């Protein structure tokens, strides 16, 4: 069972590292494959998390991508990955918020800044320089420092009975769109931000 969990953590960590690399560079899977001399199908499968390379191939890819194997896939990194997967993902935080909100509303509010911090870090990792502030309802507002994105901000909050959400706000602070807070929606937002920024 431990080995199975370790394999899952390596797969999740590798998939996240690949999508972070893609987000940071703003390239398609085809461009990544071409730039690094890798098979396009393999890169697609790695980005979607369908497969993960074996131990030896993983070490080789770390050299290709200039990653430090021990830092990313060593025992401590895998324990951290397992913890994050179990407790610090949007789905889990939203479910915990919904479970706790009726019983202990004050405790439920604590999930919002944690989710906001995770969203902020994921956007920063994707290359968006920004700052975050917490409002009086514990919602997290993310403001972008790039001039092309100065009129856009995001807000992580909750809707009662629905869970964690993320709002796309315009220059007046009015909501343009509200979505459930999820990795896929955050990736969609990052794609839209890249388009606005002309990347």
């Amino acid at each position: 069972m431990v080995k199975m969990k370790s394999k899952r953590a390596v797969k999740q960590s590798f998939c996240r590292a690949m999508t972070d690399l893609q987000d940071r560079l703003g390239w398609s899977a085809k461009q990544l494959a071409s730039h690094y001399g890798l098979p396009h199908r393999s890169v697609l499968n790695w980005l979607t998390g369908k497969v993960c390379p074996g131990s030896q191939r993983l070490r080789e890819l770390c050299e290709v991508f200039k990653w430090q194997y021990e830092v990313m896939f060593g025992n401590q990194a895998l324990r951290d990955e397992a913890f994050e997967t179990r407790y610090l993902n949007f789905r889990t935080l939203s479910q915990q918020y919904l479970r706790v909100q009726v019983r202990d509303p004050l405790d439920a509010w604590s999930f919002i800044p944690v989710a906001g911090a995770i969203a902020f870090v994921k956007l920063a990792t994707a290359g968006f320089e920004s700052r975050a502030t917490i409002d009086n309802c514990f919602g997290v507002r993310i403001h972008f420092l790039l001039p092309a994105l100065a009129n856009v901000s995001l807000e992580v909050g909750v809707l009662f009975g629905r869970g964690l959400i993320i709002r796309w706000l315009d220059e007046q602070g009015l909501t343009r769109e509200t979505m459930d807070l999820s990795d896929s929606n955050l990736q969609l937002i990052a794609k839209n931000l890249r388009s606005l920024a002309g990347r």
Side-chain angles (χ1 to χ4, degrees), residues 29-44:
K30 194 172 192 173
Q31 289 170 314
L32 274 175
S34 175
H35 180 80
Y36 289 106
L38 299 166
H40 179 238
R41 176 67 55 201
S42 295
V43 172
L44 275 176

Side-chain angles (χ1 to χ4, degrees), residues 11-12 14-16 18-19 22 29 41-52 187:
K11 185 176 180 180
Q12 290 168 335
F14 180 71
C15 180
R16 185 183 339 182
M18 286 297 297
T19 55
Q22 182 183 37
R41 176 67 55 201
S42 295
V43 172
L44 275 176
N45 287 334
W46 297 337
L47 286 166
T48 58
K50 288 181 182 175
V51 295
C52 179
Q187 288 173 349

Side-chain angles (χ1 to χ4, degrees), residues 85-103:
T85 299
R86 185 165 182 192
Y87 299 107
L88 298 179
N89 67 68
F90 297 133
R91 175 193 272 161
T92 301
L93 289 171
S94 196
Q95 289 170 344
Q96 288 174 337
Y97 168 81
L98 290 169
R99 260 195 313 271
V100 174
Q101 72 178 356
V102 175
R103 188 181 70 234

Side-chain angles (χ1 to χ4, degrees), residues 9 13 69-82:
S13 187
Y69 180 85
E70 274 308 310
V71 171
M72 295 180 69
F73 304 105
N75 288 334
Q76 183 59 48
L78 296 181
R79 280 194 292 274
D80 292 346
E81 179 70 31

Side-chain angles (χ1 to χ4, degrees), residues 19-178:
T19 55
D20 287 348
L21 176 68
Q22 182 183 37
D23 287 345
R24 194 173 60 252
L25 296 173
W27 292 347
S28 67
K30 194 172 192 173
Q31 289 170 314
L32 274 175
S34 175
H35 180 80
Y36 289 106
L38 299 166
H40 179 238
R41 176 67 55 201
S42 295
V43 172
L44 275 176
N45 287 334
W46 297 337
L47 286 166
T48 58
K50 288 181 182 175
V51 295
C52 179
S55 177
Q56 183 58 36
R57 180 72 169 135
L58 190 57
R59 286 182 184 278
E60 293 167 1
L61 288 170
C62 282
E63 289 181 27
V64 169
F65 298 130
K66 309 256 188 285
W67 295 340
Q68 294 178 338
Y69 180 85
E70 274 308 310
V71 171
M72 295 180 69
F73 304 105
N75 288 334
Q76 183 59 48
L78 296 181
R79 280 194 292 274
D80 292 346
E81 179 70 31
F83 177 84
E84 287 180 34
T85 299
R86 185 165 182 192
Y87 299 107
L88 298 179
N89 67 68
F90 297 133
R91 175 193 272 161
T92 301
L93 289 171
S94 196
Q95 289 170 344
Q96 288 174 337
Y97 168 81
L98 290 169
R99 260 195 313 271
V100 174
Q101 72 178 356
V102 175
R103 188 181 70 234
D104 188 350
L106 188 58
D107 190 26
W109 284 109
S110 69
F111 294 107
I112 303 167
V114 172
I118 293 169
F120 174 79
V121 168
K122 286 180 181 273
L123 289 167
T125 302
F128 296 102
E129 195 175 344
S130 57
R131 64 182 171 82
T133 55
I134 298 177
D135 66 22
N136 61 337
C137 293
F138 300 101
V140 176
R141 179 88 50 108
I142 300 170
H143 304 274
F144 298 96
L145 303 179
L146 189 66
L149 299 176
N151 294 330
V152 175
S153 60
L154 301 172
E155 184 178 61
V156 174
V158 291
L159 287 178
F160 189 77
R162 180 170 167 185
L164 293 167
I165 52 101
I166 188 164
R167 291 184 180 99
W168 180 288
L169 307 174
D170 65 16
E171 61 273 3
Q172 282 94 28
L174 301 173
T175 302
R176 284 183 40 197
E177 189 173 359
T178 299

